């Protein structure tokens, strides 16, 4: 048969069409096989997929196909994180309904997914903007409300006075509205809904240990810092004159004799009592200026209230300040400033000429002199100039001083977390309606479970004005109270979309259940997720919220597992021609154009070959062309040797056959080991390339049987990476069924061993046997091996050996007499 050119479109579109209704990607229910749940993070339906997405999916797809070939019952689903702000922005900009925009994008992206042939079980597809999905967000909310896990409190939001609307953090640009660049964003207090994630703060922190080894260390460190547990002491300073307590939290009560002022957060309730209108206006300006800014970017500012507060340990008066860097959401919203022993306090007090008073000395050193410190001394040491506590080591002083506060009733030991309760209220349209009703007589009334879902109305004007678009929909807002039947008002806030993505992977296990979010029996079979794959940008938020949801679901009896995923893999980024991809630079490498130009197989193989999957890779067109040529070489070799392979005849050069089979088995071993360890598919693919090079070099000297074996196994090895080409070659070879439902090839360790020298053994110059030994063996070893050879021993049978001549790697000649 003549060789055929590699026409990626012809091959890929043929299989694409044949696989449209294939059932071999469907996970089995009630399977006796071991299960494997591999999951890539679900995408936001922005409309297009680019090469970065392809990398995420290609890694998951290779693993899913490999696990199928290893005999697992694989669950590999896909869905859409379909609620969110961009749909609403698109609606404002183009007058398109968010739902229409979203569904259109989902259809386009799904088409690309299918064009790439990713092995998803599409029967399990989940889209979070559909009522049959988000009703379960509402159901979870009601369960949490029942248990006191969901509650309301006043909290600040970003507000644009020109739009008259609440802005998401992403809509605040340099402290101004995204649509009104000259309008500074204000902070307004609104009643909002929160989930008590802090109830699980300790467990979320403790269970990080269980994830060690399975999750990247970097992600675990970020989570530890985000949860941010600190042990310390709460202490009341009392305002001079009124006796009003100001409770501060400190991790360093041993330094309290060095406290030279007390600083309140600008939104602290005491600011109103301790300052005049002018001071209150300054405090409000500080809060507004902080809108959507990273606390690290804030220039420290403050002002003196004119009041003093008494230090309960020393009896000294400390001035009370208001400072923009003190957070109401951390500790108690007030701190004592100890400039000598805290860098942040040092900076603030230096700026405002507040005294710096050292009270801790290094264990082997002197106490710094007042007024001479250049930097704060922040380590533990020996307490000095602190009354009865002087001379104690820091740790000892902390525990005794905390005990004193407890005994005298002016404070206590306390643990504080950086993580805060999760504010889920959004004053936006395109999200899950929060299922409560506000009644003038009954207060907050949950929507009865039987009335779920609270369906998001579609007939809504999205103008970007007003508190929330839903407030303008009377048929949504005006309801009768489920308790008293009187006129009442439906909640118009929707949920943070991170709620949607906190549990979607459970729904895949039972996507059409209309009685429960899922059947716990199915979850018991599929969970935990064996391998979760996604970007490191989700190290906090999504990956903490999902852990929280799992624990909450366990506590309401739905799941038995305490963690959602055994293993997490975070793939590296893809940049393009050395530059980060971005819309504004116009260098985004789109998946559809890649499929047209090079084919899906080449694009997948490129991202897997360009580097280890955890590292950044650089998309280069020459690189893609190289991969394309490689796939062409495989295909041309296969097609022109198809007749030889089918005939399967013996013959060829024995050494060539052996060389190729050895390389084949070495390659199988290599690829198998890469799948089972660090997924260094780049070296797997390099191994397959070397094998193909050797095939070209030995082509004329191979038997039909060798070619048949190599081609069959190469298609199996390529199956997880380049499924279209692998399937095409399999069909040409006369093989039935899907490549990735074939068993993964095993390797023969004997065949995979490094090459052996074939040494003829002569007796008196005549060939009597052959021995196989590694190249470069010493002459004595060759001599011994030759004399021990079975055939030679039989031949010698009692004759006297006169001499043995050894030519290394070449020949043994035994000279005998008799
Ligand atoms: Zn605005
Ligand atoms: Zn009522």
């Amino acid at each position: 048969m003549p060789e055929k050119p590699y026409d990626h479109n012809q091959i890929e579109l043929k299989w694409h069409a044949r696989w449209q209704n294939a059932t071999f990607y469907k996970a089995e229910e009630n399977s006796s096989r071991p299960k494997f749940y591999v999951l890539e993070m679900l995408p936001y339906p922005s409309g297009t997929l680019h090469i970065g997405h392809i990398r995420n999916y290609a890694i998951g797809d290779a693993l899913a196909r490999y696990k199928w070939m290893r005999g697992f019952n694989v669950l590999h689903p896909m869905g859409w994180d379909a609620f969110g702000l961009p749909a609403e922005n698109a609606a404002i900009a183009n007058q398109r309904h968010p739902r229409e925009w979203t569904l259109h994008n989902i259809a386009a992206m799904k088409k690309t997914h299918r064009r790439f042939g990713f092995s998803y079980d599409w029967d399990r597809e989940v889209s979070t903007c559909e009522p049959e999905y988000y009703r379960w967000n509402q159901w979870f909310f009601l369960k949490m409300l029942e248990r006191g896990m969901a509650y309301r409190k006043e909290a600040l939001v970003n507000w644009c006075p020109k739009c008259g609307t609440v802005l998401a953090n992403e809509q605040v640009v340099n402290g101004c509205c995204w649509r009104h660049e000259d309008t500074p964003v204000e902070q307004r207090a609104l009643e909002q809904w929160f989930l008590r994630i802090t109830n699980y703060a300790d467990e979320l922190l403790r269970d990080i240990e269980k994830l060690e080894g399975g999750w990247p260390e970097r992600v675990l460190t970020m989570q530890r810092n985000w949860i941010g547990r600190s042990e310390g002491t709460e202490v009341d300073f009392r305002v001079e004159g009124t006796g009003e307590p100001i409770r501060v939290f400190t991790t360093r009560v041993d330094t309290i004799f060095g406290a030279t002022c007390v600083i309140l957060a600008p939104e602290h309730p005491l600011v109103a009592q301790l300052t005049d209108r002018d001071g209150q206006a300054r405090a409000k300006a500080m809060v507004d200026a902080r809108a959507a800014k990273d606390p690290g970017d804030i220039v420290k500012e403050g002002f003196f209230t004119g009041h003093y507060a008494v230090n309960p340990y020393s009896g000294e008066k400390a001035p009370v300040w208001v400072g923009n860097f003190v957070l109401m959401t951390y500790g108690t919203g007030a701190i004592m400033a100890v400039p000598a022993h805290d860098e942040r306090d040092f900076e603030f007090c230096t700026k405002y000429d507040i005294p710096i008073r050292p009270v801790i000395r290094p264990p082997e050193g002197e106490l710094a002199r007042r007024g001479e410190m250049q930097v704060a001394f922040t380590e533990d040491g020996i307490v000095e100039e602190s009354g009865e506590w002087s001379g104690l080591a820091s740790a000892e002083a902390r525990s005794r001083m905390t005990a004193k506060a407890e005994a005298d009733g002016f404070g206590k030991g306390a643990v504080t977390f950086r993580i805060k309760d999760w504010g889920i209220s959004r004053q936006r349209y395109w999200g899950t309606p929060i299922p409560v009703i506000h009644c003038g007589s009954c207060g907050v009334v949950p929507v009865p479970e039987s009335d779920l879902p609270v369906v998001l109305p579609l007939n809504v004007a999205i103008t970007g004005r007003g508190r929330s678009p839903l407030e303008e929909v009377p048929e949504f807002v005006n309801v009768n109270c489920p308790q008293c039947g009187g006129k009442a008002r439906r909640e118009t806030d929707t949920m943070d979309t991170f709620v949607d993505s906190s549990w979607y992977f459970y729904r895949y296990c039972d996507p059409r259940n209309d009685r429960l979010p899922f059947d716990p029996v199915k979850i018991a079979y599929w969970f935990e997720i064996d391998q979760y794959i996604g970007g490191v940008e989700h190290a906090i938020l999504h990956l903490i919220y999902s852990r929280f949801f799992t624990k909450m679901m366990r506590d309401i009896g739905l799941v038995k597992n305490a963690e959602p995923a055994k293993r997490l893999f975070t793939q590296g980024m893809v940049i393009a021609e050395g530059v980060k991809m971005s819309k504004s630079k116009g260098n985004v490498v789109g998946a559809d154009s890649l499929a047209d130009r090079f084919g899906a197989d080449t694009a997948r193989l490129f991202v897997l070959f360009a580097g280890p999957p955890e590292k950044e890779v650089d998309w280069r067109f020459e690189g893609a062309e190289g991969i394309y040529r490689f796939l062409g070489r495989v295909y041309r070799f296969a097609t022109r040797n198809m007749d030889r392979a089918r005939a399967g005849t013996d013959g060829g050069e024995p050494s060539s056959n052996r060389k190729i089979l050895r390389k084949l088995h070495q390659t199988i071993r290599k690829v198998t080991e890469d799948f089972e360890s660090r997924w260094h598919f780049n070296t797997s693919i390099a191994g397959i390339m070397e094998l193909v090079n050797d095939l070209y070099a030995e082509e004329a000297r191979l038997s039909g049987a060798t070619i048949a074996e190599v081609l069959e196994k190469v298609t199996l090895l390529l199956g997880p990476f380049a499924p279209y080409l692998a399937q095409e070659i399999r069909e040409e070879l006369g093989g039935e069924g899907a490549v990735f439902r074939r068993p993964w090839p095993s390797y023969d360790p004997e065949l995979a061993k490094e090459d052996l020298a074939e040494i003829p053994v002569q007796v008196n110059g005549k060939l009597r046997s052959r021995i196989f030994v590694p190249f470069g063996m010493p002459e004595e070893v060759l001599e011994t091996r030759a004399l021990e050879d079975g055939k030679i021993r039989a031949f010698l049978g009692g004759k006297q050996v006169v001499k043995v001549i050894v030519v290394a790697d070449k020949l043994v000649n035994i000279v005998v007499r008799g």
Side-chain angles (χ1 to χ4, degrees), residues 439 441-442 445 481 483-485:
C439 170
S441 358
C442 314
V445 182
C481 169
Q483 260 171 38
C484 70

Side-chain angles (χ1 to χ4, degrees), residues 284-510:
K284 165 118 180 43
M286 282 179 179
V287 175
D288 287 340
R290 229 162 42 185
K293 258 192 207 150
D294 186 344
D297 295 342
I298 293 170
V299 179
K300 290 180 189 62
E301 277 174 8
F303 62 90
F304 178 41
T305 60
H307 291 266
Y308 292 83
V310 179
N311 181 329
Y313 291 92
S314 66
E316 281 182 331
K317 294 189 307 180
V320 180
W321 284 63
V322 174
N324 65 346
F325 64 102
V326 180
L327 300 176
M328 197 59 216
T329 52
Y330 180 80
T332 57
I335 63 163
M336 63 179 199
V338 183
H341 303 296
D342 180 280
E343 282 164 15
R344 201 180 53 165
D345 297 348
F346 186 88
E347 193 188 322
F348 183 83
C349 293
T350 306
K351 175 169 178 174
Y352 291 106
D353 280 329
I354 298 167
I356 295 170
R357 183 191 302 164
V359 294
I360 306 286
R361 67 169 171 83
E364 309 296 330
E366 298 282 304
L367 189 66
R369 283 165 191 265
R370 288 187 196 185
E372 288 183 3
M373 286 185 102
Q374 299 304 310
V375 286
F377 173 68
T378 59
E379 284 158 48
D380 275 6
I382 307 297
V383 176
E384 296 290 354
E385 299 191 9
S386 299
E388 61 187 285
W389 290 279
S390 297
L392 293 176
S394 287
E396 177 69 18
R398 281 196 289 272
S399 90
R400 290 207 205 172
M401 292 171 86
T402 303
K404 164 86 173 164
E406 283 169 5
D408 291 6
F410 63 77
K412 59 174 187 173
V415 171
T416 192
F417 288 92
R418 188 172 169 266
I419 192 171
K420 291 299 136 206
D421 279 341
W422 177 10
I424 59 157
S425 284
R426 296 292 179 272
Q427 293 71 38
R428 316 229 64 90
Y429 166 65
W430 194 231
T432 303
I434 293 176
V436 297
I437 287 164
H438 300 275
C439 170
S441 358
C442 314
V444 172
V445 182
V447 171
E449 217 176 292
S450 54
D451 289 355
L452 297 185
V454 176
V455 176
L456 190 66
L458 293 179
N459 192 11
V460 173
I462 296 165
T463 58
R465 293 179 186 281
R467 194 188 124 156
S468 155
L470 287 176
E471 293 200 322
E472 313 299 322
V473 186
E475 58 277 25
F476 178 79
V477 174
N478 301 323
V479 287
N480 293 327
C481 169
Q483 260 171 38
C484 70
K487 284 201 187 325
R489 221 181 131 268
R490 196 184 284 288
E491 171 71 59
T492 54
D493 282 356
T494 55
M495 293 184 199
D496 180 3
T497 57
F498 277 108
V499 173
D500 312 346
S501 54
S502 289
W503 68 279
Y504 73 101
F505 33 71
Y506 289 96
R507 185 70 178 172
Y508 285 142
C509 299
D510 195 10

Side-chain angles (χ1 to χ4, degrees), residues 30-106:
N30 308 312
S31 172
S32 56
R33 296 193 285 159
K35 66 92 185 180
F36 195 87
Y37 186 175
V38 54
L39 178 70
E40 298 113 56
M41 287 180 185
L42 88 176
Y44 179 77
S46 59
T48 50
L49 293 175
H50 56 69
I51 185 78
H53 293 106
I54 297 304
R55 187 179 203 196
N56 181 215
Y57 307 137
I59 294 169
D61 197 57
L63 186 66
R65 289 174 190 274
Y66 171 75
K67 290 291 178 182
W68 260 309
M69 295 174 83
R70 295 303 301 245
F72 286 84
N73 180 27
V74 177
L75 175 56
H76 188 214
M78 183 44 67
W80 312 98
D81 192 9
F83 272 140
L85 195 57
E88 230 165 304
N89 292 345
I92 296 168
N94 320 319
Q95 307 296 315
R96 270 181 95 177
H97 194 280
R99 180 175 174 81
E100 187 206 322
W101 184 85
T102 304
L103 297 188
H104 175 269
N105 288 350
I106 288 176

Side-chain angles (χ1 to χ4, degrees), residues 100 138 182 202 256 311 377 388 423 453-454 515 568 573 589 641 657 680 730 757-758 765 787 804 810-811:
E100 187 206 322
Q138 296 171 341
D182 56 345
D202 259 324
I256 199 165
N311 181 329
F377 173 68
E388 61 187 285
V454 176
R515 286 164 301 106
L568 169 73
M573 226 178 25
V589 181
N641 287 292
N657 286 325
H680 281 187
R730 178 171 175 77
E758 179 184 331
L787 291 170
V804 180
K810 288 267 162 51
L811 176 81

Side-chain angles (χ1 to χ4, degrees), residues 556-687:
I556 63 178
L558 277 176
V559 308
K560 297 246 180 331
N561 48 301
E563 289 290 335
K566 256 182 250 174
R567 297 179 60 83
L568 169 73
F569 186 85
T570 51
Q571 83 275 6
M573 226 178 25
V574 182
I575 58 172
E577 309 285 340
V579 189
K580 193 174 172 181
M581 287 192 289
S582 76
K583 264 193 192 158
S584 59
K585 287 193 203 108
N587 66 341
V588 175
V589 181
D592 289 326
S593 65
L594 280 180
D596 290 344
R597 178 160 174 187
F598 294 106
D601 282 348
T602 294
R604 284 167 169 238
L605 211 58
F606 175 87
V607 286
L608 297 175
F609 178 66
E614 69 277 12
K615 295 270 162 55
E616 179 178 286
V617 299
D618 187 4
W619 165 266
R620 298 218 174 242
F621 276 91
E622 316 88 270
E625 278 161 5
I627 294 288
Y628 190 83
R629 277 197 302 276
F630 162 65
L631 291 177
R633 271 164 74 77
V634 176
Y635 186 65
R636 289 195 307 277
F637 182 90
T639 49
R640 70 175 175 248
N641 287 292
M642 208 54 80
D643 292 337
R644 288 168 77 191
R646 284 186 170 169
T649 46
D650 284 342
E653 287 280 333
S655 63
S656 296
N657 286 325
R658 203 166 48 247
K659 180 179 169 191
I660 288 301
L661 290 178
R662 181 179 63 248
K663 185 72 187 174
L664 172 67
H665 285 263
Q666 288 174 342
T667 308
I668 297 171
R669 182 175 62 194
K670 170 99 202 80
V671 178
T672 308
E673 284 171 359
D674 283 335
F675 266 112
E676 296 293 339
S677 60
R678 294 194 300 156
W679 301 355
H680 281 187
F681 302 131
N682 51 326
T683 65
S684 298
I685 294 163

